[in-house]
Amino acid sequence: MFDFIIKAGPNRLYAALAIIAVVAALLFTTFVRMGGEPKALLFAGVEMREAAEITQRLEQADIPYEVRGDGSSIFVARSRVPEARMMLSADGLPSRGSIGYEIFDQPDALGQTQFQQNINRLRALEGELARTIASLDGISSARVHLVLPERQLFARDAEQPSASIVLQLRRDALTPGQVRAIRNLVASATPGLATNRVTIVDETGNLLAASSTEEGAAAEGIDARQVAVEERIRRTVTDIVEGVVGSGNARVQVTAEMDFNRVEERRQTYDPEGRVVRSTSTSEGNSNSTQRQQGVTAGANVPDGNATAQAPGSQDSDATSQETVNYEISNTLRTEVSEGGRLRRLSVAVAVDGVTAPGEGANAAPQYQPRSAEEMQRLTQLVRSAVGFNEQRGDVIEVVNAQFARTATTGEAPAAPGMFAFLGDLDVMRIIELAAMLIASLAFVFFVLRPLITGLVRGGAAGPPALSGPTGAAGVPALPGSGGAAALLAAAEDDHIEPSIDIAQIQGRVRASSVKKVAEVVNQHPDESVQIIRGWLNNAM
């Protein structure tokens, strides 16, 4: 081994040591990378101020972290993600850039004025609403601005509160139902705030919900109810028709004319046949009267005669009887209130695709065939029954057979799972990264390191054939009758040329500079060179 090191020379030894050191460093890095725990995302999209607080808190807890991207993404070891999140949540981090009711936890609230307390209350309410909205699906962040006017003294009319919300979405747009849910959420959490006074926009400036008056809100609700009724009928018809003709073979459109007028009707009726005695009153009376008649006589006209004379009179007798009966007549009072939303007229249009029959030949294309009249009539009856067809109301139901303009579908089986489907929930990217590093290390060892080591070993162990002889110095044969060998060696030493031809066998190439030097020596000493070559030939024979 010692002889091998001596023969190799210091240059080859240094080169071999350098290559071994580089390879060892690469292998060490690879194995450390493979053996180290992978990083997982802790928080993403945090502000710079909060990112600095989070990293400072992680350093205090001795949790290694890594900041990537533009500084808003923080990664820690995968096994310590739950621990780090719970620790930071206890400190209120990240707060998503908003301040909630924790603003009242500060101990310096003793000297605050009423104005400052009102401002803090408004900030806390806005922050809590922003956090709640940001926790919904499809929303990345939210900012809430509330206007809560104070009630002025001796004022009859008070200004109504209002709210403005700016949303940063994670997808293209929100559904109308989600927008209404956010408006109702904010209105319910804010005292005195009406739903129609909440304005919502997204980060691109698109208006999702505008503030409106009561009439505008009512109109919006009417449109939503009509769309909901049409969608419900369309879905019902589609389900029943596609269940017969197949999925995707029916197209349904519904138009509903609705009456949203609110009607209140009061009706009062009397039934003469349905009478009941309420009270009865009876009174009776008898009266007798006698009337005398005074007559005129002759004695009355004679002086000192009888002035009066009684004439016979008459007697009257009267008897009365009175009865009063009070009846209660049947009375019906009916009040009927009809809310809006009655269906006045319904129009349903259904288009049904035909059937595809196989061609006559083996390779013939499928042929389209329309459906029979009996089948279309059955479908029409099904649609009429499903929507509650009313001819008196003026409903119109049209079911037609038409060929759909669409790409022909093939009956290919669903694609089989890929070759990496068995990995399941494993970190595929991590496995690919480790495999790539291992393949690169092996390729470096076999295609770079191995040829270098082989060249160094061969160059140090075998080397080029030396100029040697039986008695010559420095391995040069002493030829009889000539001192050319010594002269050749002396010339080589004067020109700083090694007595051997250095042939670098690394990558199969010869060092051109050494060969050139030997050629110059041969040109300068041709006689000695010829004698040496003759000696080699004699030894070889």
Side-chain angles (χ1 to χ4, degrees), residues 148-434:
L148 303 179
E150 297 182 358
R151 180 66 180 270
Q152 302 295 331
L153 295 177
F154 309 107
R156 293 183 178 180
D157 299 332
E159 186 179 356
Q160 297 297 323
S162 61
S164 300
I165 304 173
V166 180
L167 303 178
Q168 184 176 1
L169 306 180
R170 293 179 180 173
R171 51 174 180 258
D172 294 338
L174 297 177
T175 62
Q178 291 175 325
V179 175
R180 288 195 301 269
I182 294 175
R183 298 183 72 178
N184 292 329
L185 172 67
V186 176
S188 301
T190 306
L193 179 61
T195 307
N196 57 349
R197 294 186 62 84
V198 179
T199 302
I200 303 177
V201 298
D202 61 6
E203 72 276 10
T204 60
N206 295 328
L207 184 63
L208 304 181
S211 177
S212 59
T213 59
E214 295 182 359
E215 292 77 6
E220 182 179 356
I222 289 174
D223 294 339
R225 291 178 59 185
Q226 182 172 356
V227 171
V229 171
E230 294 177 349
E231 179 63 22
R232 178 180 59 82
I233 297 175
R234 189 195 66 80
R235 187 166 54 249
T236 301
V237 175
T238 302
D239 292 341
I240 192 171
V241 174
E242 286 188 349
V244 177
V245 301
S247 178
N249 292 327
R251 300 291 185 271
V252 180
Q253 293 294 332
V254 178
T255 301
E257 296 182 7
M258 304 186 68
D259 184 8
F260 292 97
N261 296 327
R262 188 176 185 271
V263 179
E264 182 177 354
E265 181 181 0
R266 293 183 180 182
R267 181 180 302 173
Q268 187 174 6
T269 59
Y270 296 92
D271 186 8
E273 300 296 333
R275 54 182 185 171
V276 180
V277 177
R278 181 178 182 181
S279 62
T280 302
S281 175
T282 304
S283 63
E284 296 180 356
N286 296 320
S287 63
N288 296 319
S289 63
T290 301
Q291 184 178 4
R292 295 182 179 274
Q293 183 176 5
Q294 185 176 3
V296 178
T297 62
N301 295 325
V302 176
D304 296 335
N306 189 5
T308 61
Q310 298 291 332
S314 63
Q315 292 182 356
D316 294 332
S317 177
D318 188 10
T320 60
S321 178
Q322 183 179 3
E323 182 180 3
T324 303
V325 180
N326 296 324
Y327 292 93
E328 190 71 29
I329 301 177
S330 177
N331 180 20
T332 302
L333 178 62
R334 182 180 180 182
T335 302
E336 182 179 357
V337 178
S338 299
E339 295 292 341
R342 293 178 298 176
L343 188 62
R344 294 193 301 181
R345 188 172 180 271
L346 183 64
S347 300
V348 181
V350 181
V352 180
D353 195 8
V355 295
T356 303
E360 297 180 356
N363 298 327
Q367 300 294 327
Y368 172 81
Q369 294 182 358
R371 299 182 183 272
S372 62
E374 293 80 5
E375 185 177 2
M376 296 303 299
Q377 186 176 2
R378 289 196 300 268
L379 290 175
T380 303
Q381 294 296 331
L382 285 175
V383 173
R384 290 185 176 183
S385 301
V387 302
F389 176 76
N390 188 352
E391 187 176 1
Q392 297 178 355
R393 194 172 53 189
D395 294 350
V396 178
I397 306 295
E398 292 289 341
V399 181
V400 297
N401 184 203
Q403 184 178 4
F404 289 179
R406 59 185 179 184
T407 305
T409 57
T410 58
E412 297 181 356
M419 59 181 300
F420 296 104
F422 67 93
L423 295 177
D425 296 333
L426 297 178
D427 193 351
V428 180
M429 297 303 299
R430 177 65 177 172
I431 296 176
I432 295 176
E433 179 184 358
L434 297 178

Side-chain angles (χ1 to χ4, degrees), residues 9-169:
N11 296 331
R12 296 190 182 92
L13 183 61
Y14 293 153
L17 292 177
I19 293 173
I20 293 173
V22 171
V23 173
L26 292 176
L27 294 178
F28 177 78
T29 304
T30 303
F31 286 112
V32 168
R33 180 72 175 175
M34 293 176 62
E37 186 176 2
K39 295 291 193 303
L41 180 63
L42 179 63
F43 293 114
V46 296
E47 297 182 354
M48 292 301 174
R49 178 181 59 82
E50 292 190 346
E53 296 179 1
I54 291 174
T55 54
Q56 183 179 3
R57 188 66 182 88
L58 293 176
E59 291 177 355
Q60 294 176 358
D62 197 15
I63 298 179
Y65 64 89
E66 181 179 352
V67 179
R68 299 179 184 177
D70 55 352
S72 61
S73 301
I74 302 175
F75 290 78
V76 298
R78 179 173 298 177
S79 61
R80 308 198 68 177
V81 169
E83 175 189 356
R85 287 182 177 175
M86 292 182 65
M87 177 191 66
L88 295 172
S89 298
D91 296 339
L93 294 174
S95 62
R96 295 185 180 272
S98 60
I99 300 177
Y101 285 114
E102 67 272 6
I103 192 174
F104 296 106
D105 297 337
Q106 299 178 3
D108 57 348
L110 182 60
Q112 291 184 353
T113 62
Q114 183 69 25
F115 175 77
Q116 292 176 339
Q117 292 180 357
N118 292 336
I119 292 298
N120 289 339
R121 174 177 172 272
L122 183 62
R123 292 177 60 191
L125 184 58
E126 292 177 348
E128 293 294 335
L129 288 174
R131 293 178 183 177
T132 304
I133 295 173
S135 64
L136 301 178
D137 184 24
I139 299 176
S140 177
S141 62
R143 288 183 61 87
V144 179
H145 303 280
L146 298 177
V147 178
L148 303 179
E150 297 182 358
R151 180 66 180 270
Q152 302 295 331
L153 295 177
F154 309 107
R156 293 183 178 180
D157 299 332
E159 186 179 356
Q160 297 297 323
S162 61
S164 300
I165 304 173
V166 180
L167 303 178
Q168 184 176 1
L169 306 180

